[in-house]
């Protein structure tokens, strides 16, 4: 449809709202009563359903940081309950948890299935304060069906938590399996997982023991994401973009020449992959990977566009890329859409 979903900061940069750009118009999707909301993952559908996270006006009884807090401004990231939502035809609907306080939704497919993760009421000893409650990957729906289906950790792994980050139109779900930790990445992502018919499959790693995180899956079941490349990094964040193909395994995509780390965030049906590549000083740029080669998107821009593309978040089957760019003249970050030019 050419719709772009994400988030936009309100004046003062103390809160942000989930945002939808359609036909040149910007729509504030609002919240569930709290100060913040956002659309963070690049799951695509053509039904006009948008999924993300939003705070309510209800206080958090345990005052956890929770997964949402890492994506909201510091001044307002904690203290309120945060839930996954589905937005359709102007209506934002909250998604239920597993009995705990918080939830998190990452995307919805054309079947109307929504994935993410949510807390139950188990006080998990592997949690790092202020996180207390265990969480599990969830498939909500399809549609308005009240069914909530949990996706279990890898058997025999000792893992206690899971989170679903993406799914395709065939109901294949990818995500992470690990321990509770801080409720975002790190040791919550000891294993990269593909769930088929509810059964978890370990898709492997690049040698690291943390941050093994699938970000997207296309309709062919090809998975992209990021993972630490060395066990020596431990829980420190030092990722490389990866591509997993059934029968071929997991592949390190490297980084833009001269850079040290990378993350793949989106893939289309033509196996074009986008993401972010960063140097030793954490200067980052969006990249396009295709035909075995990773290219800085800033080197592909034509015309008089002079903002710095800092990250590319998704790419559709027409080759249109979305992400964020930095305007050095104003010191502001902006969402962008890049369209391929041929000839």
């Amino acid at each position: 449809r050419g719709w772009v979903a994400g988030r936009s900061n309100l004046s003062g940069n103390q809160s942000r709202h989930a945002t939808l750009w359609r036909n040149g118009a910007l729509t504030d999707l609002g919240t569930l009563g709290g100060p913040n909301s956002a659309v963070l993952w690049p799951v695509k559908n053509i039904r006009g359903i948008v999924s993300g996270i939003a705070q309510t006006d209800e206080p958090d009884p345990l005052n956890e940081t929770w997964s949402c807090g890492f994506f909201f401004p510091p001044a307002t990231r904690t203290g309120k309950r945060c839930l996954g939502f589905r937005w359709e035809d102007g209506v934002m609907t909250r998604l239920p948890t597993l009995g705990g306080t918080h939830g998190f939704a990452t995307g919805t497919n054309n079947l109307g299935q929504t994935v993410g993760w949510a807390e139950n009421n188990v006080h998990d000893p592997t949690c790092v304060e202020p996180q207390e409650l265990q969480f599990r990957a969830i498939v909500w729906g399809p549609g308005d069906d009240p069914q909530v289906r949990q996706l279990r950790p890898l058997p025999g792994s000792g893992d206690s938590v899971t989170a679903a980050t993406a799914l395709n139109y065939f109901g294949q779900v990818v995500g992470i399996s690990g321990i509770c930790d801080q409720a975002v990445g790190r040791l919550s992502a000891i294993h990269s997982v593909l769930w088929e018919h509810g059964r978890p499959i370990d898709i492997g790693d690049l040698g690291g023991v943390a941050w093994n995180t699938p970000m997207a899956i296309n309709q062919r079941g090809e998975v992209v994401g990021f993972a630490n490349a060395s066990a020596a990094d431990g829980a420190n964040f030092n990722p490389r973009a990866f591509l997993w193909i059934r029968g071929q395994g997991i592949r390190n995509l490297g980084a833009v020449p001269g850079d040290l780390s990378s993350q793949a965030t989106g893939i289309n049906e033509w196996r074009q992959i986008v993401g972010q590549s960063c140097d030793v000083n954490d200067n980052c740029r969006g990249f396009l990977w295709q035909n075995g080669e990773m290219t800085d998107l800033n080197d592909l821009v034509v015309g008089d566009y002079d903002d710095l593309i800092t990250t590319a978040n998704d790419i559709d089957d027409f080759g249109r890329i979305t992400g964020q760019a930095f305007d050095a003249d104003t010191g502001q970050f902006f969402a962008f859409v890049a369209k391929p030019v041929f000839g």
Side-chain angles (χ1 to χ4, degrees), residues 140-148:
W140 289 278
D144 295 327
D145 186 330
Q147 176 186 2
V148 177

Side-chain angles (χ1 to χ4, degrees), residues 124-132 179-183 186-187:
D124 192 322
T126 69
C127 294
V128 174
E129 292 183 353
Q131 183 64 30
E132 292 191 30
I179 62 174
C180 180
D181 196 32
Q182 60 182 4
R186 207 166 69 175
L187 294 175

Side-chain angles (χ1 to χ4, degrees), residues 79-103:
K80 297 294 185 182
R81 191 179 187 194
C82 183
L83 297 174
F85 74 79
R86 282 166 48 105
W87 181 96
E88 187 175 14
D89 296 329
V91 178
M92 179 181 286
T93 303
R94 62 169 61 194
L95 296 170
T97 70
L98 296 170
T101 305
H102 300 293

